[in-house]
């Protein structure tokens, strides 16, 4: 008669195997992350010291602070390689110590320790997108602003460079160009307004140009001082002051759109709406949003790909060749990702396809190799 306590023993044994493999993977991932992060920070330290440090005299501590703001975003972008190298190192180590052979001889399917590793990568990808990514994006935005401030002060610039603003509605669009902006008094200097009208069919026609010494935004209207305006076919008219209705909030006139890499995952939907409301293309922001959503799948696919190559070592006995093949294939998918991003930014393919195609191809290749290795 079989006792009740004897039934769960095989499941406990499998659970311990899975936990053991996860611990080995986590250890290898930590080492891979440390090596890649150290290389990135070293490169960024040199780049910051030669870039910003050449424009203004900065102490070593200040350069180190700027490097710590810049590096996290780059490290997160290279996390797929952390999972590729880390998982590959973990399973190759298990294979060298004949632990994988012992597991397979005991009847343990490769899926029992490959899928938990992929699941852990999937969960870490979700944490990266939801928590680590926004922190890195904020740090990158702070680095960009600090670098612009230091470069501007080094050049002796008291005002920001040319400012472009676009606003309007279904009936009228305004493109605003200012040669300078004075943030202390919230004014645009040497400003030009290009005004377009939309007909019933949505066709946009240029109607008027207005040049002014200054323009300030307050209470839903632009106040232009010493302005000269001319409509098509009409003589120029001078105005001491001129008010133009505006749909912008007061703080938006002097706020530049943060670049997609400096925008957190949680802020991207609102940023997309703001960019489209201003009349600009939101393709780069939509592509960034879809890439962040596909990040967990990319991490999991890289883990499965590395594990699948490691499992074939038992049968082929060629450690160097298979390891190099896994690394080369990983870099190949990285270049596919870069090419897809370029096509998506150029609107050759939709942003969602450019973001999801590389991780899907990686996952399909990994599962194909794993099926062939395991089920044969």
């Amino acid at each position: 008669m079989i006792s009740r306590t004897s039934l769960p023993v095989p499941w406990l044994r499998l659970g311990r195997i899975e936990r053991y493999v996860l611990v080995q993977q986590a250890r290898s991932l930590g080492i891979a992350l440390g090596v890649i992060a150290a290389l990135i920070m070293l490169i960024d330290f040199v780049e910051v010291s030669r870039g910003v440090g050449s424009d203004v005299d900065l102490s070593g501590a200040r350069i180190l602070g700027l490097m710590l703001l810049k590096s996290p975003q780059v490290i997160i972008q290279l996390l797929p390689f952390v999972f590729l190298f880390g998982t590959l190192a973990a399973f190759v180590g298990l294979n060298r110590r004949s632990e994988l052979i012992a597991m397979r001889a005991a009847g343990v399917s490769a899926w029992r320790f490959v899928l938990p590793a992929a699941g852990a990568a999937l969960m870490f990808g979700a944490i990266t997108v939801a928590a680590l990514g926004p922190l890195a994006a904020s740090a990158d935005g702070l680095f960009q602003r600090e670098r612009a401030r230091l470069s501007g002060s080094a050049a002796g610039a008291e005002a920001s460079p040319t400012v472009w603003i676009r606003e309007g509605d279904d009936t009228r669009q305004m493109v605003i160009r200012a040669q300078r902006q004075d943030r202390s008094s919230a004014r645009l200097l040497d400003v030009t307004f290009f005004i377009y009208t939309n007909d019933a069919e949505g066709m946009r026609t240029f109607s008027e140009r207005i040049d002014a010494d200054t323009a300030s935004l307050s209470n839903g209207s632009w106040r232009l001082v010493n302005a000269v305006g001319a409509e098509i076919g009409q003589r120029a008219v001078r105005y001491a002051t001129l008010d133009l209705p505006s749909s912008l909030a007061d703080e938006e006139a002097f706020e530049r759109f943060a670049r997609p890499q400096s925008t957190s995952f949680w802020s991207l939907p609102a940023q997309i709406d703001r960019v489209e409301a201003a009349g600009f293309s939101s393709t780069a922001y939509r592509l960034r949003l879809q890439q962040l959503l596909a990040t967990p799948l990319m991490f999991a696919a890289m883990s499965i790909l590395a594990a699948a190559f490691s499992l074939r070592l038992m049968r082929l006995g060629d450690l160097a060749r298979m390891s190099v093949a896994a690394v080369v294939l990983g870099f190949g998918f990285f270049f596919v990702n870069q090419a897809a991003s370029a096509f998506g930014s150029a609107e050759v393919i939709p942003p969602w396809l450019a973001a999801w195609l590389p991780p899907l191809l990686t996952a399909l290749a990994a599962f194909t190799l794993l099926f062939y290795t395991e089920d044969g």
Side-chain angles (χ1 to χ4, degrees):
M1 183 176 180
I2 301 177
S3 64
R4 294 182 180 181
T5 57
S6 63
L7 292 177
V9 172
W11 298 103
L12 289 175
R13 186 180 304 168
L14 290 176
R16 290 172 183 171
I17 290 176
E18 295 164 5
R19 288 195 298 270
Y20 177 75
V21 173
L22 287 176
V23 168
Q24 296 301 315
Q25 182 195 24
R27 184 178 302 171
S28 298
L29 289 176
I31 296 174
L33 178 60
V35 172
I36 291 178
L39 291 175
I40 291 173
M41 288 189 290
L42 178 61
I43 294 172
D44 284 343
F45 186 88
V46 175
E47 181 181 347
V48 171
S49 61
R50 295 182 60 183
V52 182
S54 62
D55 296 333
V56 61
D57 187 16
L58 297 177
S59 64
R62 191 68 179 277
I63 295 176
L64 180 62
L66 292 175
M67 178 268 294
L68 292 177
L69 292 177
K70 182 178 185 296
S71 297
Q73 186 68 21
V74 183
I75 293 174
I76 287 181
Q77 291 178 359
L78 295 181
L79 279 180
F81 288 101
V82 172
F83 280 92
L84 176 66
F85 297 145
T87 305
L88 183 64
F91 280 87
V92 167
L94 293 173
N95 203 350
R96 276 183 167 177
R97 297 189 297 269
S98 300
E99 291 175 326
L100 286 181
I101 298 176
M103 295 177 191
R104 301 297 295 277
V108 179
S109 172
W111 296 100
R112 298 302 300 267
F113 47 82
V114 171
L115 290 184
L122 196 70
M123 291 179 59
F124 187 82
I127 295 174
T128 300
V129 173
L132 302 180
L135 293 176
S138 300
D140 182 74
L142 182 59
F143 168 77
Q144 298 296 333
R145 292 191 295 270
E146 186 68 11
R147 182 178 64 176
R149 187 187 68 81
L150 292 173
S151 300
S153 62
E158 297 180 356
S160 300
T162 303
V163 178
W164 289 90
I165 301 174
R166 182 174 178 176
E167 63 160 308
D169 50 29
D170 295 337
T171 61
R172 190 186 69 162
Q173 292 283 331
M174 289 196 306
V175 177
I176 306 169
R177 181 191 65 188
Q179 297 297 334
R180 294 172 296 157
Q181 60 174 321
D182 185 358
R183 290 183 177 271
S184 61
S185 59
R187 294 184 305 170
L188 299 176
L189 308 178
D190 297 332
V191 62
T192 301
F193 285 72
F194 301 94
I195 302 177
Y196 298 81
T197 57
N198 298 334
D199 56 21
E201 298 179 355
M203 299 296 296
R204 188 171 301 162
T205 305
F206 175 75
S207 62
E208 185 179 5
R209 169 175 173 166
I210 303 175
D211 296 286
D213 291 345
T214 64
S216 57
L217 181 63
S218 178
N219 298 325
S221 66
W222 288 101
R223 170 62 62 90
L224 278 62
V225 177
N226 194 17
V228 179
E231 298 183 6
I232 295 179
Q234 303 294 327
R235 298 182 59 181
V237 179
R238 288 188 172 274
Y239 306 92
T241 60
L242 178 64
D243 292 332
L244 297 177
S246 173
S247 59
L248 293 177
D250 294 355
E251 65 273 8
E252 291 178 344
F254 297 90
E255 182 179 349
R256 294 184 178 181
F257 293 124
R259 59 189 199 130
Q261 291 78 10
S262 301
T263 307
S264 70
F265 171 75
W266 305 106
S267 301
L268 275 172
Q271 184 78 321
I272 291 173
D273 293 338
R274 287 186 56 219
V275 171
E276 292 180 345
F280 295 100
S281 173
S282 62
T283 301
Y285 297 91
R286 292 185 177 276
L287 176 62
R288 177 64 176 170
L289 178 61
Q290 294 298 324
Q291 287 176 335
L292 290 177
L293 291 174
T295 295
L297 177 60
M298 176 62 81
F299 288 1
M302 284 294 190
S303 296
I304 298 175
L305 182 67
F309 271 98
S310 303
L311 292 176
R312 287 186 58 83
L313 299 177
M314 294 184 298
R315 298 182 180 180
L316 299 181
D318 192 350
L319 175 62
R321 184 170 63 88
M322 296 303 297
S323 299
V324 171
V327 174
V328 170
L329 189 58
F331 276 103
F333 283 116
F334 175 77
F335 287 116
V336 170
N337 186 37
Q338 294 299 105
S341 298
F343 285 128
S345 300
E347 300 185 358
V348 176
I349 58 178
W352 64 267
L353 182 60
W356 287 92
L357 183 62
L360 286 175
L361 290 177
T362 306
L364 289 176
F367 276 113
T368 300
L369 182 60
L370 190 57
F371 274 118
Y372 177 74
T373 302
E374 178 65 11
D375 302 323

